[in-house]
Amino acid sequence: MNILDRYHAMEYGPAPEARNEADAWLAARDFGKALFIGGDWKAASGGKTFETSEPSSGKLLAKISDANAVDIDAAVAAATKALPKWSAASGYQRAKVLYAIGRAMQRHQRLFAVLETIDNGKPIRESRDIDVPLAIRHFIHHAGWAQALDKDFPGHKGVGVVGQIIPWNFPLLMLAWKIAPALAAGCTVVLKPAEFTPLTSILFAEICERAGVPKGVVNIVQGGPEAGGAIVNHPGIQKIAFTGSSEVGKIIRKATAGSGKKLSLELGGKSAFIVFEDADLDSAVEGLVDGIWFNQGQVCCAGSRLLVQEGIADALIAKVKTRMSRLRVGSPLDKNTDIGPLVDATQLERVKGLVAEGARQGAVCWQPDAALPSSGYYHLPTLATGVSPANILAQEEVFGPVLATMTFRNTEEAIELANNTRYGLAASVWSENVNLALHVAPQLKAGVVWVNGTNMFDAACGFGGYRESGFGREGGREGMFEYLAAKLPLGQIIKPATTSAQPVEQADGSAIDRTAKLFIGGKQVRPDGNYSLAVATAKGKLAGEVGLGSRKDIRDAVSAARACRGWPEATAYNRSQVLYYLAENLSGRAAEFAARLTELTGASAKAAREEVEQSIERLFLYAGLADKFEGRVHQPPARAVTLALHEPVGVVGIVAPDSSPLLGLISLAAPALAMGNTVVAVPSERYPLLATDLYQVIEYSDIPSGAINIVTGRSAELAGVLAKHDDVDGLWVFADAETCAQAEAESVGNLKRVWSGNGRGLDWASDEAAGDAFLRRAVEVKNVWVPYGD
């Protein structure tokens, strides 16, 4: 036998990772006291425990304390007690603690990796080489943010006590993503890990003890749904950060509605893996292996939809099948294993059920001819071809090692297929033509796009989704904002509009009657219901009547906003010029608007003139910022640059206040327009004639039809319609507390981003009621990773 024969005859032998230290740690720990509260280890007050088992064998690992609402109360009390001193500490003091955590984790890096693999089932190569090093990177990276906080985030401070709930697929990494920025911002934390994977969080709590984290700053409570619900609903928590399923994310959005809690959600995905005909197919196949079979496909951003150009489909599929046949399924502690077990029997049954249903709906499901281990929750890698866009495997998040394949003919069809999902977390684009890749990336409705790569992450680069993949970002500068609050100039409590209209004294009839209509799609149109709303002057006389907008009118306005492509696709410089022109034209009619303000609100002539001038000035401000509020370029420790692009949210609904009715409306609409959003605005219910007077100014200011639409009527009713409309991407509501809470609760259909005043107005004339704080709400941050080099 020659050397070549011996080479071909070689097989991988077992290469198990030693687990003796992890087993010794397990044996030495009292998991009946696994709640880390106020710096002390405690048993659950109710005495309950839950079991965590090893996915590769089903064997019991430990019985863990199961926290209840009483334990959550204790954890929140500890975090609240620790908050003043921690938030008042200097950035340098907090940075030292974060750095100490990172360094202590480095000293126990292998123990973290082995525990993670034992508890979760992911291959040791992944936990050792990816999860643990990246978790450490987050703590050391955020030590820098802690010290730079005052300089880089002026006017901001930590939001307070933070409740954090993390999933089982990346237990340690998700913990780091949540805790590191919170501590850097000066917040204190109550974190609940997943029941399936509690072990590394317990080891992390021990690290906090050794690293000198002050008591109560980090509290880690093990538990199930009761503990999670208690965190979400606790009045002493100022922010909720959740990573998990979209279904649970919607429950949390509804539960926190009206509470005033800040909320960030990182949810499910159905990410597209797009391969164009000029791609390097061998590289694409390796990227695909990483994209869908990494962590057994139990990844929210898994590239679970393969979209391949028709001309290369057969060749690529053949290569994929060959590569799949060589994937090694087995013990996760074997360094040669590619695919370990799923986390639990329930997850295995779910994946099997979805594959069976996909096949029933017409997909052809192929698996390599390989034996599975005799014990554990293993599933073979699966390739589904002949998948229609409506197939369950193309629409639902399987969260397992299952790849659904579809073909496309041209670039436009690829983009349409990629965006044909309710999710919007991530995508991969494969092409040797960087012009094509960077043409496609901005058109994908995804928060992260990888070019010729996949599953690239770094603490300096934001991660998060659009649509039902949630809102908010983790990592980078934008991730820090999630744990910071700017002091907005709060105004008075907004009272609900009265339902019974007061009698209005009729006009003397000397003027020609003027009908104020709605403004939809660049035209003045009658309300669908042909009802009107009387508007009174400050003296109780009839100032005019406006259309009483309805659900149908909102639908028409949203359709017009969605159909307007010219405004979002215009250059920032072009939008800037149009907004300058709008300000110019409003200035030409300043006296008219001031007189209208005085007539309706009773404001003095001087105050009315000031509000009009401030409105013009605000238009000028956002016109000037339209081409200046830009993204960034990150340089992660890899051969890649990450382009953090600012993109418009989409269709933004605005419910404007009665206070400062002209300035309030313009202060909300102008930043949304400046960033390229299209707007459906509900103006002040009490003073809507100021908005209807704007129609003519808008019409001759070169604003494209549909860029801004105005529907007058009952604010509470129309806010509810906008909240429920799944083609509205963002909603800003400044109304009474009940209307704000309703808007947040009813936004769960598509998990639109809602910003409300929680029943309070703003001092719209203040400098703080303008600028970057508003522009940040008007954009999504998309991180596009572009590798370079050979």
Side-chain angles (χ1 to χ4, degrees), residues 55 120-121 296 298 340-344 347-348 351 377-379 399-401:
N120 171 275
Q296 295 74 256
Q298 298 171 132
L342 299 180
V343 74
D344 185 76
Q347 182 65 13
L348 177 59
V351 173
Y377 313 124
Y378 290 89
H379 193 287
F399 227 60

Side-chain angles (χ1 to χ4, degrees), residues 494-501 658 685-686 713-717 735-736 738-739:
I494 300 174
K495 296 179 180 179
T498 54
T499 53
S500 56
D658 287 337
E685 179 177 336
R686 189 174 179 185
R714 305 289 186 193
S715 295
E717 177 186 336
D736 61 275
E738 183 179 349
T739 298

Side-chain angles (χ1 to χ4, degrees), residues 15 17 39 72 132 234 270 288 322 334 342 377 474 587 782:
E17 171 73 44
I72 300 304
V132 178
H234 202 290
K270 196 67 188 172
L288 188 60
T322 298
D334 190 328
L342 299 180
Y377 313 124
E474 308 214 51
S587 177
K782 171 181 286 180

Side-chain angles (χ1 to χ4, degrees), residues 10 75 113 166 308 340 412 490 525 539 671:
M10 283 172 56
I166 60 174
V308 54
E412 291 72 23
L490 293 178
V525 298
K539 295 180 179 179

Side-chain angles (χ1 to χ4, degrees), residues 24 81 119 148 168 187 236 396-397 403 405 434 479 537 550 582 587 605 620 632 637 690 708 720 776 781:
K81 182 179 178 181
D119 204 18
W168 46 259
C187 301
E396 295 299 324
E397 186 179 35
L403 176 64
T405 305
V434 71
T537 67
S550 66
L582 180 62
S587 177
F620 251 67
R632 291 170 172 252
L690 284 158
I708 181 167
R776 275 196 302 276
V781 181

Side-chain angles (χ1 to χ4, degrees), residues 594-675:
R596 178 71 92 175
L597 269 167
T598 297
E599 176 193 21
L600 294 176
T601 68
S604 68
K606 180 182 177 182
R609 284 196 304 271
E610 287 178 353
E611 180 170 344
V612 175
E613 286 303 319
Q614 287 167 340
S615 300
I616 297 166
E617 181 182 347
R618 200 134 293 173
L619 280 170
F620 251 67
L621 171 70
Y622 288 115
L625 292 176
D627 60 355
K628 297 174 185 64
F629 189 72
E630 300 175 303
R632 291 170 172 252
V633 178
H634 301 304
Q635 294 178 281
R639 292 188 307 168
V641 292
T642 307
L643 312 177
L645 306 178
H646 284 178
E647 295 186 341
V649 171
V651 176
V652 175
I654 290 174
V655 180
D658 287 337
S659 61
S660 303
L662 179 63
L663 180 59
L665 175 61
I666 286 177
S667 294
L668 293 167
L673 290 169
M675 293 297 99

Side-chain angles (χ1 to χ4, degrees), residues 719-739:
V721 178
L722 285 166
K724 292 176 183 176
H725 201 304
D726 285 351
D727 223 16
V728 174
D729 303 298
L731 179 58
W732 302 353
V733 183
F734 282 85
D736 61 275
E738 183 179 349
T739 298

